[in-house]
Amino acid sequence: MGNLLVYSGIVTKIRAMEARLLKPEQFEEIAGLHSVPEVFSYLKENSSYADALEAIDEARLHRGDIEKVLTLSLYQDYQKIFAFCSLDQRRFLKLYMKRYEIDLINYCFRIVINHYSQPFDIDYKRPFFDKYSSISIERLIESRTTDELVENLKDTEYYLPLKRLQDRQSVTLFDYDLTLDLYYFSTIWKERKKVLKKKELEIFTHDCGSQIDLLNLQWIYRAKKYYEMPPVHIYSLLIPIHYKISIDLIKELVESANMEDFFAAMAKTSYSHHYDFEQHLTIEQMYTNCLYHLYTADKRSNPYSIATINTYLFLKEGELRKLTTAMECIRYNLTPGETLAYVGGITQ
């Protein structure tokens, strides 16, 4: 009864927001469009983004303008949920916030390493990060080199892992991405016990642990199939957390002699029934679908819990990725079938 009272307002709010998410048939309609302006018009007429898109001058429309509106809508949803939360639930949302911080830092590293001629285009994120994060958008914008970027994170938790990496030679964008990903998952795995208790802890452990297992499976598969990486290099990519895949089974997967042996080892995992390589889906799409089933199953079993918040944010983030991918496909004149194949996965 306690959880029902604590979560009743949040659940009602999230159900209303879920109802406004795009349906699979709407993505089919979007895939059949022929230009970004057509996507703009479609979203203005048929989605919850209509009001926000009104502020964009259609005569000077750019795909990046739409992506900003999509990102801000995610931040707005986060803020709406945050406003309905108790102090304990807000502690969870602050833990969740780390993924948005990691995304921001990764974007900034891409800017400085690739020497983009255009300046940082992140000022529109400033109000959100000023309120919910210790990261200073203003300082990040001033960065012109990786050294400056790392120093401009000095007052944040991300400084030390990045500084240690900075002391090495020949550091690449991949190294920064990997360091931040490993730090993110290791940190939330450790801090979850401080933030959540009992059933809430059990639910988040299931969701987060499964995601870590699936990411490790995905990275092993890609490293072996596409890059033929030796085991010692594959181990360096993996999140050092084992939820439902034992250390021995990870060893068997990493050191498998060929893809046939890899699939045989993978069949021993509890995730194997979600990974049907006979389907016309990428490993990333199968990963997304598997998470969808795990998250929504937890939400159905425990509707008045952290699972409702976790699942909604997962669905919203997935919608934004799919819309961004669809616009990129349309921009390059892919057929509706090709666009849907790239969008892939499940929305609802």
Side-chain angles (χ1 to χ4, degrees):
M1 185 67 179
N3 257 24
L4 176 62
L5 293 174
V6 171
Y7 275 95
S8 59
I10 300 172
V11 169
T12 301
K13 186 70 176 176
I14 288 178
R15 282 175 180 165
M17 294 193 294
E18 274 185 350
R20 303 179 72 188
L21 292 174
L22 294 170
K23 305 296 186 291
E25 56 268 24
Q26 288 180 284
F27 275 99
E28 292 180 10
E29 293 170 352
I30 290 169
L33 302 176
H34 302 94
S35 67
V36 172
E38 286 189 20
V39 176
F40 174 80
S41 297
Y42 180 91
L43 293 176
K44 275 185 68 175
E45 295 172 8
N46 301 284
S47 78
S48 61
Y49 305 106
D51 291 342
L53 290 172
E54 285 291 344
I56 298 177
D57 182 359
E58 193 165 355
R60 302 174 61 186
L61 179 66
H62 186 273
R63 179 173 56 92
D65 296 326
I66 302 178
E67 290 179 11
K68 286 181 187 178
V69 167
L70 299 180
T71 300
L72 289 175
S73 75
L74 171 63
Y75 294 167
Q76 288 162 3
D77 284 356
Y78 178 99
Q79 292 178 86
K80 290 173 186 175
I81 295 170
F82 195 93
F84 274 81
C85 283
S86 66
L87 290 176
D88 286 342
Q89 293 155 353
R90 288 182 178 185
R91 290 175 67 199
F92 167 73
L93 280 176
K94 288 176 181 177
L95 183 64
Y96 196 100
M97 178 72 193
K98 293 184 192 299
R99 72 176 63 197
Y100 301 147
E101 294 175 331
I102 294 287
D103 286 346
L104 175 69
I105 298 169
N106 274 333
Y107 173 80
C108 291
F109 272 117
R110 279 168 172 73
I111 293 288
V112 297
I113 289 175
N114 293 321
H115 303 291
Y116 290 154
S117 58
Q118 294 183 343
F120 285 79
D121 189 17
I122 56 174
D123 199 55
Y124 70 98
K125 297 184 178 185
R126 188 182 306 209
F128 179 71
F129 276 84
D130 282 352
K131 185 172 183 178
Y132 296 100
S133 172
S134 62
I135 292 177
S136 168
I137 295 281
E138 185 174 1
R139 293 181 66 186
L140 293 186
I141 290 174
E142 296 171 353
S143 308
R144 291 297 175 266
T145 67
T146 54
D147 286 343
E148 289 179 6
L149 181 54
V150 172
E151 287 305 310
N152 284 331
L153 289 163
K154 195 165 188 176
D155 297 328
T156 74
E157 64 186 283
Y158 307 105
Y159 175 73
L160 286 179
L162 291 172
K163 184 62 177 176
R164 285 194 291 268
L165 179 64
Q166 193 80 357
D167 293 336
R168 289 169 33 187
Q169 293 184 340
S170 304
V171 181
T172 66
L173 177 59
F174 177 81
D175 295 321
Y176 286 114
D177 284 350
L178 180 62
T179 295
L180 287 168
D181 283 341
L182 293 179
Y183 175 78
Y184 167 72
F185 283 107
S186 298
T187 301
I188 63 171
W189 189 254
K190 180 175 63 177
E191 292 187 4
R192 78 193 196 284
K193 292 183 178 180
K194 301 175 186 176
V195 173
L196 301 168
K197 304 297 180 187
K198 298 180 181 178
K199 189 62 178 179
E200 303 258 273
L201 176 60
E202 179 187 329
I203 292 167
F204 186 72
T205 297
H206 177 243
D207 289 346
C208 183
S210 297
Q211 184 181 17
I212 290 170
D213 282 348
L214 291 167
L215 280 172
N216 280 339
L217 284 173
Q218 179 176 314
W219 290 342
I220 296 170
Y221 172 84
R222 288 170 62 87
K224 298 185 75 67
K225 183 173 178 64
Y226 300 115
Y227 303 106
E228 299 181 351
M229 293 174 66
V232 65
H233 290 164
I234 298 176
Y235 283 122
S236 70
L237 303 177
L238 303 183
I239 303 165
I241 293 166
H242 309 282
Y243 179 53
K244 288 186 176 179
I245 304 179
S246 68
I247 294 175
D248 288 341
L249 188 48
I250 285 286
K251 186 174 186 293
E252 186 176 345
L253 287 158
V254 171
E255 299 182 13
S256 53
N258 50 49
M259 293 311 297
E260 184 177 349
D261 288 348
F262 169 82
F263 291 138
M266 190 167 175
K268 299 176 184 179
T269 74
S270 61
Y271 306 102
S272 60
H273 61 287
H274 289 291
Y275 279 76
D276 182 358
F277 290 91
E278 304 275 319
Q279 297 181 76
H280 298 296
L281 291 177
T282 65
I283 187 80
E284 293 82 6
Q285 288 164 354
M286 286 185 269
Y287 161 80
T288 302
N289 285 358
C290 189
L291 281 183
Y292 172 87
H293 288 297
L294 289 169
Y295 283 18
T296 52
D298 276 346
K299 180 191 162 189
R300 282 194 301 271
S301 301
N302 305 278
Y304 293 94
S305 75
I306 214 73
T308 295
I309 297 173
N310 209 30
T311 301
Y312 176 76
L313 291 173
F314 168 77
L315 292 174
K316 179 72 174 188
E317 291 159 13
E319 176 169 292
L320 303 194
R321 281 194 300 272
K322 290 183 178 190
L323 281 170
T324 303
T325 300
M327 284 191 289
E328 193 68 10
C329 291
I330 291 166
R331 185 165 162 252
Y332 285 100
N333 299 315
L334 271 63
T335 66
E338 289 170 329
T339 298
L340 285 174
Y342 275 107
V343 169
I346 299 171
T347 47
Q348 293 191 68

